[in-house]
Amino acid sequence: MANIIVTGGAGFIGANFVHYWRKVSPDDQIIVLDALTYAGNRASIDGVDGVELVVGNICDTDLVKRLLRERGVATIVHFAAESHVDRSITGPDAFVETNVIGTHSLLKAARAVWLDEGSGVPHRFHHVSTDEVYGSLEPDDPAFSETTAYAPNSPYSASKASSDHLVRAYHHTYGLETTTSNCSNNYGPYQFPEKLIPLFLINALHGRALPIYGDGMNVRDWLHVEDHCRGIEKVLRVGRPGETYNIGGGQELPNLEVIEQVCAGVDAAFAADPSLAARFPDAPAAQGRATSSLKTFVTDRKGHDRRYAIDETKARNELGYVPIHDFQTGFANTLAWYLENQEWWKAILVKQAS
């Protein structure tokens, strides 16, 4: 595998991929291109050997072309995106700028260096997308497959759908060797604390309300981030150019059940480790109360999709992809990571408050 650019490599999934890729491809040089906006965090990739962090914007086409030429890069793994649905509802412009225009900028740079300049080197542009581009499922609908029609319902998912189509177009029109993966809900270490699991964990530790949208029965397919990284590796190594692969966790759960596992996990952790009560005295579990007492139902968000589910048959049959983390084990490991890495997320909270 040639040297590799990871866009958004200081974000949640990108950082996990950097850690994962260093383990499976120890001889590769990894160039992380990240603008270090609010969700990008240098600390997430600190200590990973052979990683060069370039602070820059994916919309800077000339910068990307220069990196491709000077570093001899023939692989781009594109994670960089605005990804929080709530933020897309209140401020959609940033999502169009990063997810659509930014992706197009990367494609232009890749085309210029890999095709127009006639380097002739084998290359791969891998685009990381989401199952949200497919819209919402009814309870008895079949899971999303790669042939499911796109029906995005939020500015976020619409911007990702647009970028998916651009990637497809650059393959079919110009011959750029691209692949796309559409993943389900990721969770695991280094996740920015605006998403459900880290937000609720940190709120529980501080005795803050756990706000549950609507009736809490919106269903998601939960994918441990390491399984996602394994799926991307398989796409890079054996995926066919021009193809899309759905990567799921096979763990379809309503939000309320996930929240109940968060509450039970925090209670069990405090029971097993009395020192947690001293570290987090405001947590109900430190005061002999159930964490579930913090659950609060709030008005549902606008356009909230009811159910997502991934059919990963194509990835399983063509790539040999099989998720190895069940939610119970994956969540237990995630909870342990957040309890052991308080300084990582505490620094984020301090930055947000400043």
Side-chain angles (χ1 to χ4, degrees), residues 226-245:
E226 185 177 82
D227 279 334
H228 188 190
C229 294
R230 290 175 50 250
I232 293 171
E233 179 197 7
K234 290 181 178 295
V235 175
L236 289 172
R237 297 198 189 279
V238 299
R240 291 179 290 139
E243 291 296 314
T244 294
Y245 298 92

Side-chain angles (χ1 to χ4, degrees), residues 8-327:
F12 163 44
I13 307 176
N16 276 279
F17 181 80
V18 168
H19 285 267
Y20 178 84
W21 198 256
R22 175 48 64 238
K23 289 189 295 184
V24 300
S25 295
D27 296 329
D28 282 1
Q29 177 68 28
I30 302 171
I31 299 99
V32 169
L33 176 60
D34 200 299
L36 295 182
T37 57
Y38 79 96
N41 190 345
R42 293 174 185 266
S44 297
I45 54 174
D46 279 350
V48 184
D49 293 334
V51 174
E52 176 187 1
L53 173 62
V54 177
V55 180
N57 196 309
I58 59 173
C59 293
D60 187 344
T61 310
D62 289 338
L63 169 63
V64 178
K65 287 193 288 188
R66 187 165 64 251
L67 290 173
L68 292 174
R69 292 190 192 106
E70 294 178 358
R71 307 298 196 276
V73 171
T75 302
I76 295 174
V77 185
H78 176 34
F79 293 96
E82 296 285 347
S83 65
H84 191 45
V85 174
D86 287 1
R87 288 178 181 266
S88 82
I89 293 170
T90 58
D93 288 3
F95 288 74
V96 174
E97 176 73 19
T98 299
N99 299 352
V100 183
I101 298 174
T103 299
H104 189 223
S105 170
L106 291 170
L107 289 165
K108 288 191 296 181
R111 177 193 171 197
V113 175
W114 291 340
L115 300 179
D116 295 348
E117 296 177 6
S119 66
V121 298
H123 61 268
R124 177 62 60 89
F125 184 109
H126 181 69
H127 174 57
V128 180
S129 190
T130 173
D131 58 0
E132 297 189 42
V133 299
Y134 299 121
S136 184
L137 294 170
E138 296 297 324
D140 296 327
D141 286 343
F144 299 133
S145 74
E146 291 81 359
T147 60
T148 301
Y150 275 30
N153 291 321
S154 70
Y156 161 61
S157 57
S159 68
K160 291 299 288 185
S162 299
S163 62
D164 291 5
H165 291 318
L166 282 169
V167 172
R168 174 183 170 85
Y170 264 69
H171 172 73
H172 286 276
T173 301
Y174 304 114
L176 196 69
E177 293 188 4
T178 67
T179 44
T180 296
S181 56
N182 294 84
C183 70
S184 54
N185 265 37
N186 279 230
Y187 69 98
Y190 301 109
Q191 188 168 27
F192 190 80
E194 65 184 359
K195 298 299 180 79
L196 191 153
I197 288 178
L199 173 66
F200 278 45
L201 282 176
I202 293 170
N203 278 10
L205 295 175
H206 291 91
R208 300 170 185 155
L210 307 181
I212 303 168
Y213 281 133
D215 61 2
M217 296 306 292
N218 301 76
V219 174
R220 300 293 182 262
D221 176 7
W222 291 88
L223 171 66
H224 192 278
V225 68
E226 185 177 82
D227 279 334
H228 188 190
C229 294
R230 290 175 50 250
I232 293 171
E233 179 197 7
K234 290 181 178 295
V235 175
L236 289 172
R237 297 198 189 279
V238 299
R240 291 179 290 139
E243 291 296 314
T244 294
Y245 298 92
N246 282 354
I247 300 176
Q251 304 289 299
E252 197 175 333
L253 298 169
N255 287 345
L256 194 57
E257 183 173 337
V258 172
I259 292 163
E260 288 169 352
Q261 290 203 39
V262 170
C263 293
V266 171
D267 289 346
F270 274 71
D273 183 359
S275 71
L276 291 175
R279 289 171 56 195
F280 305 106
D282 295 327
Q287 303 163 9
R289 296 186 292 118
T291 301
S292 60
S293 64
L294 297 173
K295 292 193 298 185
T296 305
F297 289 88
V298 300
T299 302
D300 207 353
R301 75 177 176 211
K302 297 177 181 178
H304 198 180
D305 290 337
R306 191 64 172 172
R307 172 177 169 246
Y308 304 146
I310 282 283
D311 178 356
E312 75 275 2
T313 300
K314 181 178 177 181
R316 183 170 60 249
N317 292 343
E318 290 194 16
L319 311 177
Y321 167 74
V322 178
I324 62 175
H325 292 84
D326 62 74
F327 184 79

